[in-house]
Amino acid sequence: MDKRKWLEIGLFLGPAVIIFVGFVILPVALAAVYSFFNWNGLGPLEKFIGIDNYTRALSDPLFLRSIGNNFTIIIASLLVQGPLAIIVALLLNRKMRGRTIVRAAIFVPYVLAEVIAGLSWKLLLSPQGGVNAVLEAIGLGGLTQPWLANPAIALWVMFFILTWKYLGFAVLLMLAGLQGVPEELTEAAAIDGASWWKTQWYITIPLLGPTIRIWAFLSIIGSLQLFDMVWVTTRGGPVGATSTMATYMIQYGQGQPGYGSAVAVILFLISLVIALLYQRHALRRDLGAENVEER
Amino acid sequence: MNKARVIRVGAVAAASALTIGGLTACAPGGDTPSDGTTTITWWHNATTDPQKGLWEDVAAEFEKAHPGVKVEVTGYQNEDLQRTLIPNALASGDAPDLFMVWPGGEVRAQAEAGYLKDLTDVASDTIDALGGVANPWKVDGKQYALPYTFGIEGMWYNKDLYAQAGIDAVPETLPELEDANEKLRAIGVAPIAVGAGDLWPAGHWWYQFALAACSTETLQTAIPALDFSDPCWVEAGDLLKDFVATNPFQDGFLASSGQQGADSSAGLVANGKAAAELMGHWNAGQIGSLTPDATVPSWLGWYPFVSVPGTAGDPDIAMGGGDGFGIYKDAPDVTVDLLKYILSDDVQKRFAETGAGIPTNPAAIDSVSDPSLKLIAEGLANASFVQLWLDSDLGPTFGNPLNQAVVNLMAGTGTPEDIVKALEDTAAAL
């Protein structure tokens, strides 16, 4: 390329690069720098302490529990939300009465603001809240309990809320994916005498593969960065039962941004490694398929 | 140049201009614009009337008395202001001129970083007028901020529920409190509400037991030295553990918040589902805001925290704290006059009349009319020693690890020793 072309590229890309470096790369780099200091956020960066912040975080049982909680949510999401979303999408993709209403009902939670959804569930699940009142009213008073205040079940209650909130998004993706499944294939299967269920199992779901893999990727990254819903409903409590890496960072980085930065860097590295591994191993064939088409 | 090229160059120029314009918009502005007026920016934590309105009036009056001075006054939510907005503004070098400063660890950190104006000489009259209540805002003998309100915590309770449960006199000792709690359980209300979901309201229970277990001398020496080797710190946890075993708190207290909504601890007291709450001097307004008619209920009473027989602590000690205003190092000099005006007899009297808190200027104490605040002012006057909130006194780094360890103990997953370990570990990482 000649000089003029380079100049043009530079001029066009310049503004975007400046913004990207200033607001993305620089903060990440600064966090990495801060993480090596014992710093209260006010004075100058003076007390260099090497990797002490990292060893402190990785030896804090609450932080390790937070990492564990993040991974529990990832695994539970993949095992429960994914299959559930596929089943709901397959059902909603059929012609049936009231389909629009059912679709809307599933999407509404996703459209709701996270804070509103969180506060609503917090009120519903409080000991004096609606869920316990309904259980009492239908004669299941023995099941009532402080749902979000019981450390033994709080994480699963949180997972239920997250599933309620994000199922709509997963279903939306799957429904979009289903539009790409050619009708001729299912028609051919029907002519060959395959049942509806067999058609889905052997034709539709395999063809939905790329959509499922993209959804899983978004779900994993979302689960790793889980913050808003937990913060609004439990602040990571009770006794760390629902604490995530992000809520831990906010709580324990307060007044000591050096330590908070170390936690942020750990979260960043875990997310990056998982994202790269996933792209390399799970998404490769989807990307590969595009390459084949290009050729 | 052909037409396409003109468009391209124009687009690049526009994008660059936007970027540069966007970036320069972030640059801090000066306090003295070209028209000769001086602007004072003032950040406080009052987001609702009457206090918010009072500060606005004060700003307007000050502008009137000082031609050429403009006061930009803004109220922000308390935690956002103290934890996020002010630290960021200070670190960015574009700080407000007059802002809220908490005593103890926070004023120490800000003063040591060189952000605060030394008020020792420029406001000596006001400091003298306030007396000892200004001490928690001193660092190394220098005054870096001045409090406009100060109070102590105690038990806020529902007089009607206490009467209904047959409690004739408010408890003065721990056994009397436990006895009262049993009577309250018997009439079907939670004896005490605590917002352990927010951590700090639960932390205060341990602070109170630490005041009971530790002698005043220990408190005065251990906290500045961050030395928690005295066995009284573990004893505080033992006392709390035994107290929690009597089941004094509402069901699900581990997830309750302190102040937001009907199911928060303040909300439970406001709607009569809990009979009492250990909380600071601001709680009348808090509970009032959560009642259906948004006024302080007539049944709300206050009594000092109970003493614990058989412990080394001074039974007349109280725990408290307050809010002060500090001045940024580069603020215009006239900001000192504004601070003096805020603490003047007149403004402090009006502050007292709002019922939002207890004024620090002794000349205004008689203007406190709210009955609960009057009791607190009395308790403050009778206290042999006022210990600053432990999390404030120790500094911002201690708050979460300490309070989390206390909640763990209350949940049965931690021990009294774990609380001391959390303190020692935090101190070691400083």
Side-chain angles (χ1 to χ4, degrees):
Chain A
M1 268 191 291
D2 61 21
K3 223 178 182 179
R4 212 190 66 192
K5 268 205 166 150
W6 277 113
L7 187 72
E8 275 179 8
I9 289 173
L11 277 173
F12 276 107
L13 277 181
V17 169
I18 290 173
I19 291 178
F20 186 70
V21 169
F23 292 102
V24 178
I25 302 293
L26 191 66
V28 171
L30 282 177
V33 173
Y34 296 154
S35 70
F36 294 111
F37 287 85
N38 183 352
W39 185 44
N40 69 1
L42 290 175
L45 279 178
E46 277 167 350
K47 296 184 201 155
F48 182 82
I49 52 167
I51 58 163
D52 277 12
N53 280 330
Y54 290 92
T55 48
R56 187 179 148 206
L58 293 171
S59 57
D60 182 349
L62 182 61
F63 184 60
L64 296 178
R65 182 167 187 187
S66 305
I67 298 178
N69 286 343
N70 279 116
F71 279 89
T72 307
I73 295 286
I74 290 178
I75 293 166
S77 301
L78 294 180
L79 292 181
V80 178
Q81 282 178 14
L84 199 61
I86 293 170
I87 293 169
V88 172
L90 288 176
L91 293 176
L92 283 183
N93 206 32
R94 304 177 80 181
K95 286 200 175 67
M96 60 179 204
R97 267 153 68 103
R99 186 168 74 163
T100 325
I101 294 168
V102 179
R103 277 189 178 186
I106 286 170
F107 295 141
V108 162
Y110 180 63
V111 177
L112 265 185
E114 194 114 354
V115 173
I116 294 172
L119 280 178
S120 308
W121 276 111
K122 189 181 172 180
L123 290 174
L124 282 172
L125 292 166
S126 84
Q128 295 81 24
V131 171
N132 280 349
V134 168
L135 286 174
E136 290 277 3
I138 58 172
L140 292 173
L143 293 177
T144 60
Q145 60 170 311
W147 297 96
L148 286 166
N150 181 348
I153 59 164
L155 187 64
W156 297 110
V157 176
M158 184 63 63
F159 176 68
F160 165 78
I161 300 174
L162 290 168
T163 305
W164 170 86
K165 179 83 174 75
Y166 287 105
L167 188 68
F169 174 67
V171 171
L172 191 73
L173 272 186
M174 302 298 174
L175 278 174
L178 286 174
Q179 307 313 308
V181 176
E183 256 178 56
E184 301 84 43
L185 288 179
T186 47
E187 274 168 17
I191 290 168
D192 285 346
S195 68
W196 180 82
W197 177 239
K198 278 200 165 167
T199 315
Q200 308 307 324
W201 186 251
Y202 289 106
I203 295 172
T204 315
I205 292 178
L207 285 172
L208 206 53
T211 310
I212 295 172
R213 285 190 287 275
I214 285 288
W215 165 79
F217 181 70
L218 295 175
S219 178
I220 290 170
I221 296 299
S223 303
L224 281 172
Q225 297 177 345
L226 185 59
F227 175 77
D228 324 35
M229 188 65 86
V230 176
W231 193 251
V232 172
T233 49
T234 63
R235 304 219 153 201
V239 293
T242 59
S243 181
T244 67
M245 285 187 274
T247 63
Y248 178 92
M249 179 185 77
I250 294 295
Q251 282 184 321
Y252 288 82
Q254 227 162 47
Q256 37 184 352
Y259 184 62
S261 297
V263 173
V265 170
I266 295 173
L267 170 56
F268 173 73
L269 288 179
I270 292 177
S271 304
L272 186 71
V273 167
I274 291 181
L276 289 178
L277 283 178
Y278 192 88
Q279 283 215 331
R280 189 163 169 73
H281 294 288
L283 290 182
R284 196 170 53 169
R285 49 184 140 161
D286 302 332
L287 301 173
E290 273 173 33
N291 291 342
V292 172
E293 276 169 25
E294 267 175 31
R295 255 182 269 141
Chain B
M1 264 197 276
N2 61 27
K3 198 178 166 192
R5 202 163 148 67
V6 170
I7 291 171
R8 256 189 291 174
V9 171
V12 170
S16 308
L18 275 176
T19 311
I20 293 162
L23 293 176
T24 48
C26 303
D31 285 313
T32 315
S34 50
D35 60 359
T37 56
T38 303
T39 303
I40 301 174
T41 45
W42 173 16
W43 290 3
H44 59 74
N45 74 336
T47 50
T48 51
D49 283 333
Q51 208 181 325
K52 182 170 176 271
L54 175 66
W55 291 151
E56 281 162 6
D57 292 347
V58 166
E61 290 155 16
F62 189 79
E63 280 179 352
K64 210 172 168 193
H66 294 77
V69 175
K70 196 173 161 10
V71 182
E72 281 176 2
V73 54
T74 322
Y76 295 100
Q77 195 275 334
N78 193 49
E79 273 76 16
D80 289 346
L81 179 67
Q82 298 306 119
R83 296 288 189 220
T84 313
L85 290 166
I86 290 174
N88 287 347
L90 289 173
S92 74
D94 185 23
D97 300 307
L98 182 69
F99 54 93
M100 280 258 314
V101 178
W102 281 343
E106 184 173 282
V107 69
R108 203 181 309 140
Q110 291 180 0
E112 282 169 1
Y115 292 128
L116 297 174
K117 194 189 268 285
D118 178 3
L119 304 172
T120 319
D121 297 326
V122 291
S124 56
D125 296 354
T126 310
I127 297 167
D128 291 345
L130 297 183
V133 75
N135 283 339
W137 284 265
K138 266 188 186 154
V139 179
D140 297 331
K142 290 180 183 166
Q143 193 77 45
Y144 283 102
L146 291 170
Y148 62 89
T149 182
F150 198 94
I152 55 173
E153 72 177 1
M155 299 294 284
W156 293 89
Y157 74 110
N158 185 324
K159 289 178 190 166
D160 292 352
L161 289 176
Y162 267 49
Q164 204 183 319
I167 302 161
D168 308 323
V170 292
E172 290 179 0
T173 64
L174 187 61
E176 285 174 21
L177 179 64
E178 289 173 354
D179 187 43
N181 289 346
E182 229 166 85
K183 290 177 178 162
L184 289 160
R185 275 264 177 240
I187 62 162
V189 295
I192 300 171
V194 61
D198 283 342
L199 304 184
W200 63 266
H204 279 243
W205 277 93
W206 183 82
Y207 306 169
Q208 285 291 350
F209 283 115
L211 292 199
C214 299
S215 69
T216 308
E217 295 72 41
T218 308
L219 293 171
Q220 284 173 328
T221 54
I223 294 170
L226 300 181
D227 169 14
F228 305 102
S229 56
D230 194 294
C232 72
W233 301 102
V234 175
E235 192 192 341
D238 287 327
L239 288 169
L240 176 58
K241 198 176 163 190
D242 292 346
F243 182 66
V244 173
T246 66
N247 192 20
F249 302 120
Q250 81 274 21
D251 291 341
F253 68 88
L254 288 175
S256 297
S257 63
Q259 303 180 332
Q260 293 108 19
D263 64 336
S264 66
S265 52
L268 291 174
V269 176
N271 59 32
K273 292 200 165 124
E277 184 187 19
L278 169 66
M279 194 45 74
H281 44 104
W282 56 83
N283 210 32
Q286 196 63 49
I287 289 174
S289 72
L290 291 164
T291 56
D293 56 356
T295 52
V296 180
S298 58
W299 45 255
L300 189 66
W302 184 92
Y303 60 89
F305 191 75
V306 294
S307 62
V308 184
T311 51
D314 178 350
D316 294 326
I317 196 170
M319 174 163 286
D323 291 333
F325 286 124
I327 297 177
Y328 185 57
K329 61 176 166 84
D330 295 334
D333 291 338
V334 70
T335 314
V336 178
D337 296 330
L338 174 57
L339 179 56
K340 285 180 178 172
Y341 181 57
I342 292 167
L343 296 167
S344 66
D345 295 0
D346 172 50
V347 174
Q348 280 269 285
K349 278 179 187 166
R350 283 154 63 196
F351 172 72
E353 282 160 9
T354 63
I358 298 167
T360 47
N361 186 331
I365 285 291
D366 289 341
S367 301
V368 174
S369 55
D370 180 81
S372 302
L373 286 183
K374 269 187 165 172
L375 283 172
I376 295 175
E378 222 170 84
L380 183 61
N382 292 336
S384 58
F385 174 68
V386 177
Q387 167 62 48
L388 209 55
W389 315 122
L390 280 186
D391 50 355
S392 296
D393 207 10
L394 289 163
T397 314
F398 281 85
N400 266 310
L402 169 59
N403 296 333
Q404 180 71 60
V406 174
V407 173
N408 289 354
L409 175 88
M410 290 167 105
T413 58
T415 65
E417 288 78 13
D418 290 343
I419 297 174
V420 180
K421 189 173 176 298
L423 287 169
E424 287 170 344
D425 288 352
T426 311
L430 283 181

